[in-house]
Amino acid sequence: MSFTTPHVEFLKDIENYLPLGTLTLPSDQESRLGSHWEEYYPEIIYGSSALANEARELHKSVWALLCLGWLRTFARNHPQDHNLVHIRVYVLPSDVGGRYVERSVKDWERVKKLMKYVDVSAEGWEGTGDLKQPKNDLFGHKPRPEDDDSLFYIFNTLPSPKPSSFTPCPYSSHAISSLLDNTENVPGLQTKLYAYQRRSAAVMIQREAQPTRTLDPRLEEINCPTGGKYLYDRTTGAIFRYPRFYEEARGGILAETMGLGKTLICLATILATQGHWPQIPPQYSLERRRLRSRVGSLMAMAAAAAN
């Protein structure tokens, strides 16, 4: 792949890359490397008879990503064993340099394969870690139970609702404040609400009036070996420097335990917002749609729908 001058300048700047971790591989040519870090291309280990088939496959992935500009690697003789190559791996995040480097699903699969072997620990980065047991468990700092995707686990680990009375809509703000005030009764509701029921009703109104932004659930935070964090999609292998947020859905599921007043919470929500005007999305507002003075022809309506 050939690069123009702006491309070369971009790829030369190591600040555009994230410290991913280290690889420790055997070398038959230790004289080629010294004790100081230098830009590294893995042909030095390609012909090594000590490489197993698995390591050869890893080398192919590293070499392909280097050629694409996705990786930068620096190497030296390992301080604990000069028969080994100590390689620092830097990766170009998916959300950086899109105008200079092409991306493809196949290449992210190579990154995903590489992530299985990278030592992500700070000790490995400095060359002081245990060579027999490198820390390549990306999620070791954040244990994930085997049933973390089950509904039972999700239900029992959901945080308690924490509503805020501040919303862009003053009517919704007033309704939330009234619900959170234990001294006030909901107009039209004779039953006294418990505190958790008030919070649940307030959150339901808040989600309708001001849906929050949430981190893409496919991404997980990984600690950089030099400090800081990056985001990793372990399904596709994509790596991101900056978080990706989505607006949550307006509404949700009231999944309270049986007998704890789901019906009462819904009634309180309805009564607290009684008389509020619905907020119609702008694209469906009548003010943004041209009204016809008469029924159009079938051809005219088809053309309008296509546009």
Side-chain angles (χ1 to χ4, degrees):
M1 178 181 291
S2 60
F3 298 109
T4 60
T5 302
H7 291 190
V8 173
E9 293 300 321
F10 174 83
L11 296 176
K12 281 184 177 180
D13 188 356
I14 195 63
E15 295 298 322
N16 293 321
Y17 291 76
L18 284 171
L20 188 64
T22 56
L23 295 170
T24 302
L25 298 174
S27 173
D28 288 341
Q29 306 177 42
E30 67 175 82
S31 60
R32 293 277 300 275
L33 291 172
S35 59
H36 300 288
W37 294 105
E38 58 183 82
E39 189 87 18
Y40 173 76
Y41 296 95
E43 69 271 8
I44 190 172
I45 62 169
Y46 186 65
S48 172
S49 59
L51 286 179
N53 291 333
E54 192 173 34
R56 290 182 182 277
E57 290 300 316
L58 173 62
H59 167 271
K60 292 179 182 179
S61 296
V62 172
W63 180 251
L65 293 170
L66 279 169
C67 293
L68 292 170
W70 287 39
L71 294 184
R72 294 278 300 277
T73 52
F74 296 83
R76 64 177 178 177
N77 284 332
H78 201 287
Q80 299 183 44
D81 186 345
H82 286 189
N83 291 317
L84 299 175
V85 180
H86 186 208
I87 308 169
R88 284 180 174 176
V89 182
Y90 294 78
V91 66
L92 188 66
S94 180
D95 50 356
V96 175
R99 61 183 296 187
Y100 300 119
V101 179
E102 296 180 0
R103 315 289 174 141
S104 71
V105 175
K106 180 180 179 181
D107 294 317
W108 279 121
E109 284 292 329
R110 290 193 174 103
V111 174
K112 186 178 177 181
K113 183 184 297 183
L114 174 63
M115 295 290 276
K116 297 179 181 179
Y117 302 98
V118 168
D119 185 340
V120 298
S121 67
E123 296 82 4
W125 189 258
E126 298 299 331
T128 59
D130 187 348
L131 294 178
K132 296 181 180 180
Q133 294 182 340
K135 297 180 181 179
N136 58 355
D137 180 9
L138 295 176
F139 308 99
H141 66 286
K142 184 181 178 181
R144 296 174 57 89
E146 295 180 357
D147 60 347
D148 63 346
D149 293 326
S150 69
L151 288 177
F152 179 81
Y153 176 82
I154 294 173
F155 179 80
N156 284 283
T157 55
L158 284 174
S160 298
K162 297 180 180 179
S164 170
S165 58
F166 175 78
T167 66
C169 175
Y171 304 106
S172 297
S173 295
H174 177 72
I176 294 173
S177 298
S178 299
L179 280 168
L180 296 177
D181 187 353
N182 290 325
T183 62
E184 292 189 23
N185 292 326
V186 178
L189 190 66
Q190 297 181 359
T191 305
K192 185 176 180 180
L193 297 173
Y194 290 104
Y196 74 89
Q197 294 172 328
R198 290 178 175 272
R199 290 195 300 269
S200 295
V203 166
M204 291 170 70
I205 297 174
Q206 183 179 333
R207 286 182 65 92
E208 291 285 350
Q210 188 182 25
T212 59
R213 291 168 60 81
T214 185
L215 181 68
D216 186 337
R218 297 170 297 181
L219 303 181
E220 300 197 39
E221 283 190 342
I222 306 298
N223 293 324
C224 279
T226 57
K229 297 180 183 295
Y230 60 88
L231 297 159
Y232 177 58
D233 184 343
R234 59 175 175 172
T235 302
T236 64
I239 294 173
F240 300 91
R241 169 168 283 169
Y242 305 106
R244 302 173 66 188
F245 293 99
Y246 292 94
E247 184 179 280
E248 290 187 346
R250 294 176 183 264
I253 299 175
L254 179 59
E256 192 56 88
T257 304
M258 185 182 297
L260 294 185
K262 292 187 293 295
T263 303
L264 190 59
I265 294 171
C266 291
L267 289 174
T269 303
I270 295 170
L271 292 172
T273 57
Q274 193 173 19
H276 291 196
W277 286 96
Q279 296 181 1
I280 303 174
Q283 63 269 31
Y284 299 113
S285 175
L286 292 176
E287 288 76 10
R288 292 178 174 266
R289 299 176 63 185
R290 183 172 61 86
L291 298 178
R292 298 179 181 273
S293 56
R294 59 187 178 84
V295 177
S297 65
L298 182 61
M299 183 176 295
M301 288 190 289
N307 294 328

